[in-house]
Amino acid sequence: MPPFSFVYGGEKSANLIHKWQKVKVVTEGENSNEQKTIYTYLDNHSGLVINCIVTAFKDFPAVEMELKLKNSGRINTPVLESIQV
């Protein structure tokens, strides 16, 4: 289960996101003290793409998380609301 939630077209993400395509990519960050993990979720039906970028700091006990949403489809997506990170 991802570390974020939302309501999409009136339905909670917990009921939807397990049906979406998911890709995980781990890379080095902008400097050697960072490791970035990018989780990409794709709703093939609507074209909504969610990128959850998690940066772990090797020299400090902290993480940073960024959420990016994009409509890659040709039509409007359903209403997206109550986004919680």
Side-chain angles (χ1 to χ4, degrees):
M1 195 57 105
F4 57 86
S5 65
F6 53 91
V7 176
Y8 188 55
E11 193 163 352
K12 293 181 180 181
S13 59
N15 299 332
L16 300 170
I17 203 134
H18 68 276
K19 302 173 190 173
W20 295 10
Q21 285 183 347
K22 178 184 171 189
V23 176
K24 175 183 171 183
V25 176
V26 179
T27 65
E28 286 296 318
E30 295 175 10
N31 63 56
S32 62
N33 292 327
E34 297 177 358
Q35 179 180 3
K36 288 192 184 268
T37 305
I38 303 169
Y39 300 91
T40 301
Y41 297 86
L42 170 63
D43 176 16
N44 283 321
H45 180 71
S46 70
L48 178 65
V49 178
I50 300 176
N51 285 312
C52 180
I53 304 155
V54 180
T55 304
F57 301 93
K58 297 176 184 177
D59 59 348
F60 195 75
V63 295
E64 176 182 89
M65 189 168 78
E66 180 181 5
L67 202 59
K68 293 184 178 184
L69 299 98
K70 178 182 176 182
N71 179 358
S72 67
R74 295 183 180 177
I75 60 172
N76 291 340
T77 64
V79 174
L80 185 61
E81 57 190 330
S82 302
I83 300 170
Q84 301 290 318
V85 180

